[in-house]
Amino acid sequence: MSGNLRTDQFFNLKYHIKTFGCQMNKHDSERIAGMLESLGALPVETIEESDLVVFMTCCVREAADIRLIGQVSSMKNIPLRKGSPVSKRIIAIGGCIGQRDGQKLLDDLDHVDVVFGTNNLASLPSLLDSAINDHERLAETVEESTMFPTELPTVREHQWAAWLPITIGCNNFCTYCIVPYVRGREKSRPFEDVVKEAQSYVAAGVKEITLLGQNVNSYGRDLYGKPRFADMLEAVAETGIERIRFATSHPKDLTDEVIEKFATLPNLMPALHLPAQAGSNRVLKAMHRVYTIEHYRELVAKLREACPGIALSTDIIVGFPGETEEDFEDTYQLVKDMGYSQVFTFIYSKREGTPAAKMVDNTPRSVIQERFDRLREVVEKGAYDYNQASLGKTLPVLIEGYSKKEQSILTGRSPENITVHVAAPEGSNAHECVGKILDVSIDEAKTWYLRGHFDNA
Ligand code: 5AD
Ligand code: SF4
């Protein structure tokens, strides 16, 4: 992949990547790390130590936009490290804001060197080459992707877990959402390519694969023979991988075949993120979600029948334009009824260029905040109640590392994707637990985590 690059400048160049937003961005960052390291660059933990900073950005909500501009602006005050091979720290902006704003970012922020989009990760080395060697400031974004980032080298954050994108882009055009405009039309990756990559992860000792896409359930509609997502799950399960997860699912495309896989594939983990967005049919219609709340509830009933104890999580937007007290009550009731293990709640954020940005939006901010706070209470109660069911059980936990707060505590994930803390075994071999699936008996169940002990400890 080094092609015509003047690679000397990359050798020992210290890079730092700051990633915002979704799992797709996290995955793209792993590919960027892979490309940079294959050219000889080295990762560093802080901006201060770096010669190159790459921002992987998100513009789904306004807060992320504002934060990015603040962070990039503050880079001016961070001096370049002594002995750096570059004359100024190179700053690159990629991801969704890079795609949306392109050249404008270079015009507005005179210390930014490179802007790239969501569809041309592979161009980053040559853009950086021009910045480093020729002091050129370049923005490159393309409308359509020509390749999947999975064709690029990678440095995975965890050796035992891999993200595996199966689709990119989105065709749904929910009226509040900017993603279809910055990630482009939905495109499925060839079936065989996905399966081969999954096989290579199994051979490399990976324990958990997460299939990724803005809407994984519509996988394959643009491919010859129209393979279905349920077939993909089956094929990935056959590789023998220990744990499969997938995100995100759109309720309108979640088929009975996929639901059935939760009953029949032992390595498909009992956890599903199924964004509802709202509990009111009027709001769902205005959001262009294309399902009714009755249909959503029916899906959940079928999921619970196929897989009792499944951990369901969701996304909810509070304060969509025109949301009435009655609409909100429907959402509140939905969250109360569903027994979610986790709910990601968002206050509606107006995104220019989306249909919702033109809708009448006159609910006072204080009313929306009050609804949001009320919803959070029921979300937390739901998560707490969900976790109580694990008390006294022994769960296989994939150990991810040490707890950030206490070095003597290991932390990992249950099959239901709940965080589990467990005291590290006595002696010095605690690090050997990392990346393994170990049985943990659960003695404590809190809102956001479980605590337990190793069965044989
Ligand atoms: N305002 C608030 N939340 C949004 N989301 C997407 N667009 C917006 C917006 N304009 C939320 C949705 C989506 C999640 C990733 O972000 O709930 O599922
Ligand atoms: Fe956005 Fe809707 Fe597509 Fe999800 S399905 S990325 S919310 S447009």
Side-chain angles (χ1 to χ4, degrees):
M1 62 157 279
S2 48
N4 297 324
L5 292 178
R6 289 158 283 183
T7 52
D8 288 2
Q9 288 284 18
F10 286 92
F11 193 68
N12 285 345
L13 192 78
K14 297 193 170 160
Y15 77 90
H16 181 78
I17 305 178
K18 273 197 114 39
T19 309
F20 301 85
C22 66
Q23 291 165 331
M24 200 63 94
N25 262 9
K26 288 183 190 154
H27 173 261
D28 285 353
S29 292
E30 292 185 341
R31 298 290 161 178
I32 290 171
M35 285 192 288
L36 293 173
E37 290 185 28
S38 73
L39 293 167
L42 301 169
V44 287
E45 294 283 318
T46 63
I47 289 175
E48 282 76 4
E49 299 165 274
S50 72
D51 308 311
L52 159 68
V53 180
V54 182
F55 288 91
M56 285 301 284
T57 63
C58 168
C59 58
V60 166
R61 284 169 294 277
E62 193 183 10
D65 249 280
I66 296 169
R67 216 168 55 201
L68 173 85
I69 302 301
Q71 289 218 1
V72 174
S73 301
S74 71
M75 296 280 297
K76 277 195 168 166
N77 308 324
I78 307 176
L80 190 61
R81 73 179 173 97
K82 283 208 182 74
S84 172
V86 289
S87 52
K88 85 169 260 304
R89 182 179 288 114
I90 305 294
I91 301 176
I93 302 182
C96 293
I97 299 182
Q99 180 73 26
R100 186 193 60 188
D101 295 349
Q103 176 66 36
K104 187 175 178 302
L105 287 166
L106 292 183
D107 298 342
D108 292 351
L109 299 160
D110 59 10
H111 59 308
V112 172
D113 303 281
V114 168
V115 176
F116 60 106
T118 50
N119 294 322
N120 60 328
L121 286 194
S123 309
L124 183 61
S126 76
L127 294 169
L128 290 173
D129 179 19
S130 303
I132 296 169
N133 291 301
D134 308 325
H135 307 287
E136 281 191 83
R137 301 177 69 226
L138 296 172
E140 187 186 300
T141 56
V142 294
E143 287 291 311
E144 280 279 314
S145 59
T146 51
M147 71 190 301
F148 271 80
T150 40
E151 289 154 43
L152 301 171
T154 184
V155 178
R156 291 197 310 277
E157 188 186 345
H158 299 304
Q159 283 314 300
W160 61 90
W163 311 113
L164 211 173
I166 63 167
T167 67
I168 48 176
C170 182
N171 291 348
N172 291 323
F173 290 95
C174 302
T175 55
Y176 51 80
C177 184
I178 199 156
V179 168
Y181 306 92
V182 287
R183 290 267 172 189
R185 291 296 65 69
E186 184 178 286
K187 204 169 153 196
S188 302
R189 193 160 169 231
F191 196 92
E192 285 310 315
D193 290 7
V194 176
V195 176
K196 265 195 214 134
E197 187 163 331
Q199 284 164 340
S200 75
Y201 288 138
V202 175
V206 168
K207 299 275 167 49
E208 178 174 290
I209 289 177
T210 304
L211 302 174
L212 284 187
Q214 249 75 41
N215 176 15
V216 285
N217 305 120
S218 59
Y219 172 81
R221 283 184 198 159
D222 55 332
L223 294 179
Y224 178 74
K226 301 202 186 315
R228 288 166 310 179
F229 180 58
D231 304 329
M232 170 64 78
L233 281 176
E234 182 102 36
V236 174
E238 269 172 27
T239 65
I241 188 78
E242 293 200 50
R243 292 184 162 196
I244 306 170
R245 302 185 188 280
F246 58 87
T248 296
S249 292
H250 194 303
K252 79 177 163 64
D253 298 310
L254 182 64
T255 60
D256 288 349
E257 287 75 28
V258 170
I259 293 174
E260 194 50 35
K261 297 295 173 212
F262 282 100
T264 57
L265 301 176
N267 40 4
L268 178 59
M269 291 296 100
L272 179 68
H273 186 61
L274 192 64
Q277 310 297 358
S280 139
N281 281 331
R282 205 190 60 76
V283 173
L284 287 173
K285 195 159 180 216
M287 286 177 162
H288 187 59
R289 288 293 287 176
V290 210
Y291 52 83
T292 61
I293 207 60
E294 290 75 24
H295 178 67
Y296 184 93
R297 284 174 182 266
E298 207 176 299
L299 289 174
V300 169
K302 284 186 193 168
L303 283 159
R304 296 226 188 269
E305 195 177 322
C307 182
I310 190 169
L312 294 173
S313 56
T314 202
D315 292 343
I316 297 285
I317 297 177
V318 178
F320 185 79
E323 180 189 78
T324 63
E325 198 57 35
E326 208 179 358
D327 292 326
F328 174 73
E329 284 302 327
D330 288 344
T331 299
Y332 183 89
Q333 197 56 46
L334 178 83
V335 172
K336 213 168 164 184
D337 293 348
M338 287 298 100
Y340 291 119
S341 62
Q342 168 76 294
V343 181
F344 300 91
T345 46
F346 308 103
I347 287 183
Y348 169 74
S349 170
K350 181 173 170 177
R351 303 284 61 203
E352 284 312 331
T354 62
K358 297 198 193 75
M359 295 179 188
V360 179
D361 185 9
N362 50 14
T363 314
R365 178 76 197 192
S366 58
V367 171
I368 294 173
Q369 187 65 49
E370 184 271 330
R371 287 177 190 164
F372 182 84
D373 295 344
R374 214 158 13 119
L375 188 64
R376 285 307 309 169
E377 278 173 30
V378 70
V379 165
E380 289 185 16
K381 182 171 182 322
Y384 181 85
D385 289 348
Y386 179 83
N387 282 346
Q388 299 314 303
S390 296
L391 271 178
K393 287 192 181 153
T394 298
L395 302 177
V397 175
L398 174 52
I399 305 292
E400 295 181 338
Y402 294 92
S403 151
K404 287 193 190 91
K405 287 188 204 135
E406 283 175 71
Q407 283 281 303
S408 60
I409 303 289
L410 291 166
T411 169
R413 297 274 170 165
S414 71
E416 292 79 13
N417 216 15
I418 307 293
T419 299
V420 179
H421 297 304
V422 54
E426 293 287 319
S428 59
N429 63 348
H431 64 276
E432 285 173 17
C433 299
V434 174
K436 291 196 176 133
I437 296 173
L438 300 171
D439 279 348
V440 176
S441 295
I442 305 301
D443 334 284
E444 213 181 320
K446 301 280 198 191
T447 305
W448 300 128
Y449 65 90
L450 303 169
R451 201 183 271 276
H453 62 273
F454 285 123
D455 256 4
N456 51 4

